[in-house]
Amino acid sequence: MTAPLLDRTGTAAAARDHAHRDAASDPMLPRPFRVISRHLDTRDTVTLGLEPLDGVPLAFAAGQFTMLLAFGVGEVPISISGDPTGPGPLLHTIRDVGSVTHALVGAVPGTVMGVRGPYGTGWEVRSGRGGDVVVVAGGIGLAPLRPALLELAHERAAYGRVVLLYGARSPEDVLFAEDLARWAARHRITVEVTVDYGPPDWTGRVGLVTDLVPRAGFDPGHALALVCGPEVMMRAVATALVARGVAPERVRLSMERNMQCGVGLCGHCQLRELFLCLDGPVLGYDRLGPLMDIREL
Amino acid sequence: MAGPAILPSRGLQALVDALLARGYRVLGPQVRDGAVVLADLTDIDALPLGVGDEQAPGHYRLREGGAERAFGFAATAQSPKSVLFPPDELLWRGRRTDDGFSVEPASPADDPDHRPVAILGARGCDVAAIAVQDRVLLGREHVDAHYAARRAGAFLVAVTCSDPAGTCFCASVGTGPRPRAGSDLVLTELADPHRYLVEAGTPAGQALLGALDTTPATPDDLAAADELVADATARMGRTMRTDDLPELLNASAESPRWAAIAERCLACTNCTAVCPTCFCTGVQDVGDLTGALDERHRVWDSCFSQPYSYIHGGAVRTWTASRYRQWLTHKLATWTEQFGTSGCVGCGRCITWCPAGIDLTAEVATIRELAEAHDAVAAGAPGGAPTDGGAPTPGGLR
Ligand SMILES: Cc1cc2nc3c(=O)[nH]c(=O)nc-3n(C[C@H](O)[C@H](O)[C@H](O)COP(=O)(O)OP(=O)(O)OC[C@H]3O[C@@H](n4cnc5c(N)ncnc54)[C@H](O)[C@@H]3O)c2cc1C
Ligand code: SF4
Ligand code: SF4
C-alpha cells in the first residue's frame, strides 16, 4: 500500500520545495501578507487579494492551499483561488462558516494576515493534455478549482473538450459569474450550472450536480476529471464518472479534513495511511474510493 | 570504542555529577504522589531505592522491591515524551503593531534557564519510542523545530529492565528489556555486590564513560547481566504477535470488535497521553484582553476526542468505535506504512492507565480470532463458526 503518490513529482512538489526554503526551519511560523483587495462574491463569500510584506511572491500549483491566520482569532486551511500561470496577488476565496472564516471574510484592505504554505498536492491539470477535461464543483468547491480552470483556459488548445459542471445552493450563491461567462464565451469551456433551489424567475437548471454527469459531453475513455465539493457529493460524482467509464485514477478529488499544521505533524488530517495535507488534498479516486467506502474512517 | 565497564554502586553519583558539570539538567526516576516519575535529580539517594511497582489493566501501585535496587521497577509512569515533546509548547509570540502584527519565533533555547536534558533511567521501550518520535518529527519532509531543539542536545542513560510489570511486552516487539541502540550509555544494575555494568552507545557516551572511575567488566559481570535479561524476559507480563498486524487491522475496519470495545472505552484520552509515541497536537491561541498580544501554543491532542476530527458541519469520527479503531489501526498498522516502524514499543502504559482496563494486546488477539473465524466461514471450512448468528459480520460500526 505504499505506492508512490501523485504529488511526489511535478509542480506541486516544486512549489512546496520553494516554500520550504523560504520558511527557514520552522514550518509553523507565518509570513505576514497584507490584504490589498476584497471582493464580495456572494452574501457569505469573499475573495481576498494578498501581498507579501517581504515582497517575495508565493509560487503555487493549482489545487494547493495555505494556512491563513487571522491574528488573535485562529488559523485555517484555505485553497488558493488565483491564477497559477501569472503574477498577481495571492487570492483566497473564503466562505464565512465559523469564527476564523468570519474574521478572514471581514478583513478590510490593509489588514495583515499570516500565511503559511503553499501546501499539499495540486490538480496536475497538465496530465489531462490531449484529452477531455471534466471539472465538477459543488458550492465553495469551485474556489480550489478556479486555478485549474484558469490553467485550462490559458492553454486551451492543448486540451479536447472542457466541461465545467457546477452546483450551487441558489442562483445568489453562484461564484465567479464573470469567469463562468468568460470561460464559456472565450475559451470554449462548456459551463453547466445547476442550483438546489431556484426562484420563479430562474430559467436555469435545478437539481443535483451529480445528475449532470451522465449527459455531459466528454469522452470518458480519454478524460481527466477534477472534483471538489462536500464529501457526499464527491463520492456520488466519482461513482457516476466511473460508471461512465472514466478510470478511477483519472478522477481526482480534493479532500477536506481538520488541519492544524498543514505539514504532516499534527496528525488530524489522517485518512488511514494518508496525511491529507501532504499526500493530498488532491488524490485519485483509485486511492480514495476504498477508504471513503468505510464509514468514519 | 572501549568495552563494557563496571561502575561501583556509589559511582552512579559521579555519573550524575559529571552530567551536571557538563551543563545538563539531569532527570531521573523518583517517587511522587504514589508513582515513579521523572524529576530533576542531583543526588542519587533520591532514586526509588527498594521500590517496585505493580501494574495491571487499569491498575498501578507501588510495592516493596528488591532492597538494593535503585531501578527495581518498570518504566516510569509518564515517559520521556513529556520532557522532549512537552504537552504545551510555545511556538511563537505575536504583537499587534500600527500596520499589522509582528511574529517573534519562540524556542525552548530562549529560556535563560534552558539546559539540554540528560535522562537517567530511560527503559528499552523509552529509547525505542524516542527513536520513533525522531523518525516522525525529524525524519520527514517538515521538521518539528521545537522537538528538534529539545532533542538535539539530549543525553540518554538507559537502564536495562530487571523487573518488568504485568502490562509490559517489550520482548514481543523487540525493544527490550535490554535497551537497543539509541542511548548514549546503557546501565545494567547488578547485585552482590551492587554495581552497574556500563556500555557506551555513542561517542558522547564513550567520552563520559572515560571520565568515570570504572574497571573493565569481567565475563562474570556480562553473564550476570545476560541472566538478568533472560529472567526479565521470562517474567514479561504480556505478549503481542506483530507479524500480521498491518494486514490484519486494515482488513478488520468493519470488525464487530470495535463496537464492543466502544462499550467500555470512555474516550478519556489517557492512553494517548501516556503513550510515548503518540504525537498528535493542536494549536491554541492565548491572547491578552486587549488583543494586542497573541501567543500560539502547540498542545497535545488526541484522536479520542470528538473535536479532533471536526470540520465545518460536524466531526468525521462521531463514534467512540471509530476513534478507537483510528488509534489502534494507526498505532499498529498504518504507522508502519507511514514511517517504516510500528507505533507501539510495548511499554504497556496505555493498558495500565486506561480507567476501563482496555488491553490492546488482548484486543488485537480478539480481532485476530474474529477475522480468522470470519475467513473460515467465508471459505466454508468445516469447523468454522456457523453462518447464522455467532459469526462476525462486516459492518460492526453500523
Ligand atoms: C485543504 C482545504 C482547503 C480548503 N479550502 C477552502 C476554501 O478555499 N475556501 C473556504 O471557504 N474554505 C476552505 N476550506 C474549509 C475551511 O478550512 C473551513 O471552513 C474552516 O476551517 C472553518 O473554520 P472556522 O473557524 O471558520 O469554523 P468553525 O466551525 O468555527 O471551526 C472551528 C475550528 O475547527 C477547525 N475546522 C472547522 N472546519 C474545518 C475544515 N473544513 N477544515 C479544517 N479545519 C476545520 C478549524 O481549526 C476551525 O478553526 C478548506 C479546507 C481544507 C482542509
Ligand atoms: S500503544 Fe500502549 S503499549 Fe504501545 S507504546 Fe503506546 S502506550 Fe506503550
Ligand atoms: S482506551 Fe482507555 S485510556 Fe484510551 S480513551 Fe478509551 S478509556 Fe481512555
Side-chain angles (χ1 to χ4, degrees), chain A residues 116-204:
Chain A
R116 296 193 293 117
Y119 296 134
T121 54
W123 294 110
E124 307 287 348
V125 178
R126 291 170 136 238
S127 64
R129 285 162 150 235
D132 294 350
V133 180
V134 52
V135 177
V136 190
I140 187 72
L142 185 59
L145 283 164
R146 185 170 179 270
L149 286 155
L150 291 170
E151 211 175 311
L152 288 165
H154 187 72
E155 286 195 309
R156 183 63 189 85
Y159 300 87
R161 280 170 290 181
V162 177
V163 183
L164 167 62
L165 311 177
Y166 171 37
R169 274 175 299 174
S170 74
E172 285 199 321
D173 293 301
V174 171
L175 285 172
F176 313 134
E178 283 170 27
D179 287 330
L180 299 180
R182 196 182 65 242
W183 292 331
R186 292 219 229 127
H187 299 284
R188 289 183 296 114
I189 295 179
T190 308
V191 177
E192 296 195 42
V193 179
T194 179
V195 297
D196 298 339
Y197 314 101
D201 62 340
W202 170 251
T203 54

Side-chain angles (χ1 to χ4, degrees), chain B residues 203-214:
Chain B
Q206 187 65 52
L208 195 86
L209 181 55
L212 300 174
D213 246 337
T214 59

Side-chain angles (χ1 to χ4, degrees), chain A:
Chain A
M1 279 284 273
T2 34
L5 294 160
L6 187 72
D7 70 315
R8 292 304 171 210
T9 54
T11 45
R16 220 171 30 220
D17 288 345
H18 176 87
H20 221 156
R21 282 197 302 278
D22 282 356
S25 56
D26 186 355
M28 295 305 281
L29 277 183
R31 278 174 67 192
F33 276 62
R34 189 181 307 284
V35 178
I36 55 160
S37 65
R38 178 177 186 272
H39 179 260
L40 189 67
D41 296 304
T42 69
R43 54 192 161 171
D44 62 5
T45 303
V46 153
T47 296
L48 298 178
L50 302 173
E51 241 176 33
L53 294 196
D54 63 13
V56 183
L58 187 134
F60 71 97
Q64 287 194 294
F65 68 96
T66 71
M67 294 298 292
L68 264 191
L69 171 79
F71 185 77
V73 186
E75 188 186 48
V76 290
I78 301 288
S79 302
I80 302 170
S81 63
D83 189 346
T85 65
L90 175 67
L91 295 189
H92 287 96
T93 302
I94 308 155
R95 187 171 157 223
D96 180 355
V97 297
S99 56
V100 180
T101 47
H102 186 72
L104 294 170
V105 158
V108 294
T111 307
V112 176
M113 291 179 175
V115 175
R116 296 193 293 117
Y119 296 134
T121 54
W123 294 110
E124 307 287 348
V125 178
R126 291 170 136 238
S127 64
R129 285 162 150 235
D132 294 350
V133 180
V134 52
V135 177
V136 190
I140 187 72
L142 185 59
L145 283 164
R146 185 170 179 270
L149 286 155
L150 291 170
E151 211 175 311
L152 288 165
H154 187 72
E155 286 195 309
R156 183 63 189 85
Y159 300 87
R161 280 170 290 181
V162 177
V163 183
L164 167 62
L165 311 177
Y166 171 37
R169 274 175 299 174
S170 74
E172 285 199 321
D173 293 301
V174 171
L175 285 172
F176 313 134
E178 283 170 27
D179 287 330
L180 299 180
R182 196 182 65 242
W183 292 331
R186 292 219 229 127
H187 299 284
R188 289 183 296 114
I189 295 179
T190 308
V191 177
E192 296 195 42
V193 179
T194 179
V195 297
D196 298 339
Y197 314 101
D201 62 340
W202 170 251
T203 54
R205 252 177 263 271
V206 177
L208 294 177
V209 71
T210 326
D211 299 338
L212 302 179
V213 174
R215 284 171 291 113
F218 63 91
D219 172 8
H222 299 93
L224 173 68
L226 311 177
V227 187
C228 189
E231 199 162 318
V232 276
M233 166 267 182
M234 290 199 288
R235 233 180 124 197
V237 167
T239 306
L241 287 164
V242 171
R244 256 195 81 172
V246 185
E249 68 273 16
R250 301 286 284 167
V251 176
R252 289 181 199 149
L253 318 181
S254 180
M255 296 294 285
E256 189 173 337
R257 282 295 181 276
N258 189 301
M259 293 179 185
Q260 302 279 303
C261 74
V263 291
L265 295 172
C266 79
H268 288 251
C269 70
Q270 287 174 90
L271 178 62
R272 188 158 277 178
E273 75 277 12
L274 302 167
F275 282 91
L276 287 173
C277 66
L278 293 177
D279 303 321
V282 180
L283 280 157
Y285 190 62
D286 54 330
R287 192 91 194 240
L288 291 171
L291 304 178
M292 292 167 90
D293 283 346
I294 302 169
R295 255 181 105 185
E296 297 209 346
L297 196 64

